[in-house]
Amino acid sequence: MELKAGLSAIVTGGASGIGKALCLALAQKGIFVTVADLSEKGKEVAFLIEKENAKLPSKLQVPSAIFVKCDVTDANDLAAAFNKHLEVYGGLDICINNAGIATPLLFHKDKTDGSGTWKRTINVNLTAVVDCTRIAIEIMRARKKPGVIINMGSASGLYPMYADPIYSGTKGGVVLFTRSLAPLKREGIRVNVLCPEFVQSELAMMINPRIIDAVGGFLSMEEVVNGALELIKDESKAGACLWITKRRGMEYWPSKSVEGKYKLNQYKSRRSQYTTTSDIIVPDTFKKIIVHTLDHNFRSATRVVQTHLKLPIKPENAVVKIIYAGVNASDVNFSSGRYFEGKNNETAARLPLDAGFEAVGIIAAVGDSVHLKVGTPVAFMTFGSYAEFSVIPAKHLLPVPRPDAEVVAMLTSGLTASIALEKAGQMENGKVVLVTAAAGGTGQFAVQLAKLAGNKVVATCGGADKASLLRSLGADRVIDYKKENIKDVLMKEYPKGIDIIYESVGGDMFNICLNALAVYGRFIVIGMISQYQGNNGWQPLKYPGLCEKLLAKSQTVAGFFLIHYAHLWQEHLDKLFDLYSTGKLKVAVDPKRFNGLDSVADAVEHLHSGKSLGKVVVCVDPQFSKTMAKL
Ligand code: NAP
């Protein structure tokens, strides 16, 4: 929801602390606010807003803020507060259920009946939140206009707070109550919960300062307000729980990988259309590409062979029918034996090797102990994906929404960008990020993810088509090295240097980029495609003076190899798919069609020709992909 003048919001507990800060922040955007609070201090908040708005040139027909005295645990008070809001502002766009209290003494030491102590905490923190949410939904539904409800949770609703179990319990209740309301999004109503750690407010004054120190100190009011505004603005968030800490910033809870453990039918609705494919016939033999001799020339090193599918399937294995396989710059390193330790003759002893790193397809058969169902679309990143079928331990399968070319692109290429920028690049926002080979398989993702994180992106490429693709992906400055000199542009336009460099070309490009790195800059070594197919194969380069340069500018050069981050694959894949399906991430697949395993060598050569645009993929079974497209 765009925060704009003319919308209206009600904020419970708006007289002080976070509630007050939220009222002021919303009012600053021109949003009408009802401050609902038991404390008369709410009058001052409304007065403050009115006073600020009086300075504005336009005179409003209605007050920019009103105060309604209201005990949120009293049904009559609540009804009166919402009615007053409707009477003055005619509708309700945002409802922030913020009122909350701590428990004055430990419930198990409480000799009273609890009605003035712990039962009241439950009533204010949980029952009233449910009640306010109920009323807000009713109003928003009746008006048939989109609305956002933000419930104020707490970090102590995510993990225990020993000092106040009742408080922790109520906030835990608010978290799961809110998350369970995600389906209301279908009616245009988004309900989200905000879980900040300690904020300097009256409530937090009761906490032991040592605990505050241990978690990295108090959050600023601004950080909490920004979290709430993000939950209001981001249309993709419904039933979302945003956790904010001093240590880690904003993070959605739980992570996708944790969610995947209990959400058994995570992709059920999206993939149900594929269950008809359970009648795939598992053949006795199938085709695959093997490396028969070690050579960085992929065509000379490989050939297509017919092989037997070994039956019966082991209990832990699945048979996957491959639909699309991804082509990677490193296919030539695999065929030259580079990825296997030891001397070349030891690697040669392993021949033949099954080629191809990544694919998407559909499970055609499963062993007895596999819980995934036949017909499930899956991705995998193990050797042997240039094949019609793969027999693979089910633990290596990543369930995906669709077995499409775009999803293949998100595997090695997308995951490398997503994980490398986060882990090796430690990317935040407000920085200048340079991406080389930016219109390629992985570069396109790095450009967009850096942009989405709020950075300025400089992208290099060779050719006009690539340059226009990069502009459409949001790159701020595209350097087409066929038209401009990269070194000159960087020196002239980025005199302070580049903060993060995502570099995958190597050779001279490495040196040009390193010389452009800013003080404290981070240089991520993703690869060195320009070196892979030298006359004598991939020869290591010397970088004289590298340490001296890094020392002089407190810089970091960080290597990144996706294989070492397998524990993050599912989480980042889910993140990429979410961005893609909500239209925030585009996936460029090279327009040149490669059909069948016989076209793989052509596809690898196309990638290394420098002419490819986006991700190069091979459609292993064109017939099957056509059938799917019709489903
Ligand atoms: P890609 O970027 O799609 O590769 C094609 C692009 O690379 C070309 O369009 C060209 O772009 C550039 N290029 C090709 N040959 C070149 C040459 N000889 N000299 C200079 N530039 C050349 O390929 P990719 O599969 O996504 O891989 C890109 C890089 O990322 C590779 O270095 C690869 O090894 C690395 N990678 C690393 C990891 C990891 O875990 N570390 C994972 C995936 C990929 P321009 O001419 O437009 O610059």
Side-chain angles (χ1 to χ4, degrees):
M1 176 182 284
E2 193 193 340
L3 292 167
K4 55 177 189 220
L7 297 179
S8 77
I10 187 163
V11 181
T12 70
S16 59
I18 297 174
K20 177 178 174 182
L22 286 168
C23 289
L24 299 178
L26 292 171
Q28 249 179 20
K29 308 262 176 209
I31 296 170
F32 299 122
V33 181
T34 292
V35 186
D37 205 302
L38 192 56
S39 162
E40 293 283 343
K41 277 195 216 157
K43 239 184 227 164
E44 289 164 29
V45 178
F47 179 70
L48 199 66
I49 294 172
E50 274 286 78
K51 208 170 92 186
E52 279 303 305
N53 283 13
K55 295 178 194 158
L56 299 175
S58 68
K59 192 71 205 115
L60 299 166
Q61 303 299 313
V62 287
S64 39
I66 55 168
F67 166 65
V68 183
K69 190 174 166 71
C70 160
D71 176 350
V72 288
T73 65
D74 182 315
N76 293 330
D77 273 15
L78 266 192
F82 278 92
N83 283 340
K84 182 74 191 170
H85 180 90
L86 287 180
E87 190 188 303
V88 177
Y89 300 119
L92 176 68
D93 303 289
I94 300 162
C95 172
I96 302 188
N97 301 318
N98 162 77
I101 55 171
T103 324
L105 69 162
L106 269 175
F107 76 103
H108 48 82
K109 294 191 176 161
D110 190 344
K111 301 284 181 252
T112 71
D113 70 350
S115 53
T117 51
W118 61 269
K119 283 184 190 161
R120 178 150 178 85
T121 306
I122 295 176
N123 287 338
V124 174
N125 293 7
L126 181 58
T127 314
V129 168
V130 176
D131 228 4
C132 291
T133 304
R134 181 186 59 79
I135 301 173
I137 291 171
E138 226 167 68
I139 297 171
M140 289 169 181
R141 237 184 215 149
R143 291 178 67 231
K144 293 194 170 59
K145 278 182 79 183
V148 183
I149 301 168
I150 305 291
N151 290 330
M152 194 51 73
S154 157
S156 67
L158 304 175
Y159 37 85
M161 180 157 83
Y162 306 116
D164 192 344
I166 297 292
Y167 183 83
S168 200
T170 56
K171 293 299 184 180
V174 170
V175 168
L176 280 174
F177 165 68
T178 309
R179 289 180 52 206
S180 306
L181 296 175
L184 283 169
K185 188 179 178 200
R186 288 187 214 122
E187 297 179 52
I189 302 168
R190 295 189 292 109
V191 193
N192 295 314
V193 56
L194 188 66
C195 290
E197 226 164 51
F198 301 112
V199 189
Q200 204 151 14
S201 65
E202 278 171 34
L203 211 62
M205 290 305 132
M206 298 158 74
I207 311 289
N208 183 337
R210 277 212 307 244
I211 297 178
I212 309 285
D213 277 352
V215 298
F218 281 118
L219 285 167
S220 69
M221 216 41 112
E222 193 189 356
E223 284 166 305
V224 181
V225 167
N226 285 344
L229 298 189
E230 157 148 337
L231 286 174
I232 298 172
K233 285 188 286 189
D234 188 342
E235 299 284 349
S236 71
K237 296 291 179 284
C241 171
L242 184 57
W243 173 43
I244 316 180
T245 61
K246 203 71 198 167
R247 304 177 301 289
R248 300 166 60 98
M250 287 193 204
E251 233 167 294
Y252 283 93
W253 179 290
S255 67
K256 288 278 176 193
S257 59
V258 172
E259 204 173 16
K261 287 183 190 157
Y262 67 85
K263 253 190 169 177
L264 296 176
N265 292 327
Q266 203 175 0
Y267 296 122
K268 195 171 172 234
S269 57
R270 291 187 209 154
R271 75 171 184 232
S272 56
Q273 54 190 314
Y274 296 109
T275 50
T276 50
T277 55
S278 58
D279 53 0
I280 296 167
I281 295 162
V282 179
D284 295 339
T285 64
F286 65 94
K287 281 185 188 168
K288 67 176 181 179
I289 293 189
I290 54 149
V291 174
H292 57 82
T293 182
L294 298 177
D295 196 326
H296 61 257
N297 180 325
F298 188 85
R299 193 181 291 279
S300 319
T302 59
R303 68 167 169 262
V304 179
V305 295
Q306 193 82 25
T307 189
H308 280 279
L309 204 152
K310 289 190 194 102
L311 294 171
I313 307 160
K314 285 190 191 159
E316 69 281 8
N317 282 356
V319 179
V320 178
K321 175 174 176 57
I322 295 173
I323 316 274
Y324 286 99
V327 179
N328 286 286
S330 271
D331 283 323
V332 299
N333 299 327
F334 182 80
S335 67
S336 71
R338 178 103 201 172
Y339 283 164
F340 298 95
E341 285 177 10
K343 301 200 175 79
N344 239 13
N345 51 0
E346 285 171 29
T347 312
R350 294 167 176 251
L351 293 174
L353 300 166
D354 290 345
F357 301 153
E358 56 177 355
V360 291
I362 291 180
I363 297 182
V366 289
D368 289 343
S369 56
V370 175
H371 70 276
L372 290 166
K373 298 241 176 331
V374 168
T376 305
V378 286
F380 63 91
M381 286 185 283
T382 55
F383 298 137
S385 62
Y386 288 144
E388 291 171 336
F389 283 85
S390 178
V391 182
I392 184 173
K395 66 176 181 199
H396 294 316
L397 296 176
L398 305 166
V400 293
R402 296 175 61 88
D404 291 348
E406 285 77 8
V407 177
V408 183
M410 288 178 215
L411 300 177
T412 312
S413 302
L415 288 175
T416 296
S418 182
I419 303 173
L421 286 170
E422 183 180 304
K423 297 294 172 195
Q426 295 177 14
M427 182 173 74
E428 290 170 0
N429 57 14
K431 303 278 186 215
V432 181
V433 179
L434 170 71
V435 181
T436 62
T442 189
Q444 60 168 322
F445 289 98
V447 166
Q448 295 179 80
L449 294 172
K451 227 20 235 170
L452 281 169
N455 296 290
K456 273 223 154 12
V457 176
V458 184
T460 74
C461 67
D465 287 352
K466 296 184 187 185
S468 79
L469 169 71
L470 288 168
R471 279 185 212 102
S472 75
L473 299 182
D476 298 283
R477 176 65 162 100
V478 179
I479 312 174
D480 174 356
Y481 61 77
K482 292 196 172 158
K483 287 197 180 143
E484 291 181 283
N485 182 300
I486 298 178
K487 188 174 154 191
D488 292 347
V489 174
L490 294 177
M491 270 172 59
K492 190 166 159 228
E493 298 179 26
Y494 300 92
K496 287 191 184 152
I498 306 283
D499 303 304
I500 299 174
I501 299 181
Y502 186 89
E503 209 294 288
S504 63
V505 173
D508 291 342
M509 185 69 96
F510 176 92
N511 285 320
I512 292 170
C513 292
L514 185 70
N515 289 334
L517 194 64
V519 177
Y520 305 126
R522 295 187 73 84
F523 187 115
I524 319 170
V525 178
I526 293 296
M528 36 209 76
I529 191 169
S530 66
Q531 296 169 229
Y532 295 164
Q533 291 180 299
N535 287 339
N536 299 315
W538 178 357
Q539 295 300 324
L541 291 186
K542 293 199 174 76
Y543 301 99
L546 174 67
C547 291
E548 287 76 5
K549 280 184 191 172
L550 300 182
L551 177 66
K553 291 192 177 174
S554 299
Q555 295 164 330
T556 305
V557 174
F560 177 87
F561 197 22
L562 185 61
I563 283 176
H564 299 136
Y565 293 86
H567 57 291
L568 298 176
W569 290 356
Q570 183 79 64
E571 179 187 339
H572 280 255
L573 190 57
D574 288 342
K575 187 178 104 182
L576 290 170
F577 194 84
D578 275 355
L579 289 171
Y580 172 65
S581 53
T582 51
K584 292 181 182 160
L585 180 77
K586 292 179 191 156
V587 179
V589 173
D590 188 86
K592 201 162 170 153
R593 295 281 152 249
F594 296 97
N595 288 329
L597 291 179
D598 291 327
S599 71
V600 169
D602 295 337
V604 173
E605 285 172 5
H606 178 59
L607 185 147
H608 282 277
S609 71
K611 291 183 186 141
S612 60
L613 190 68
K615 178 75 182 178
V616 180
V617 298
V618 171
C619 181
V620 176
D621 186 345
Q623 246 1 73
F624 204 87
S625 81
K626 261 189 227 156
T627 319
M628 280 195 330
K630 283 189 209 139
L631 288 171

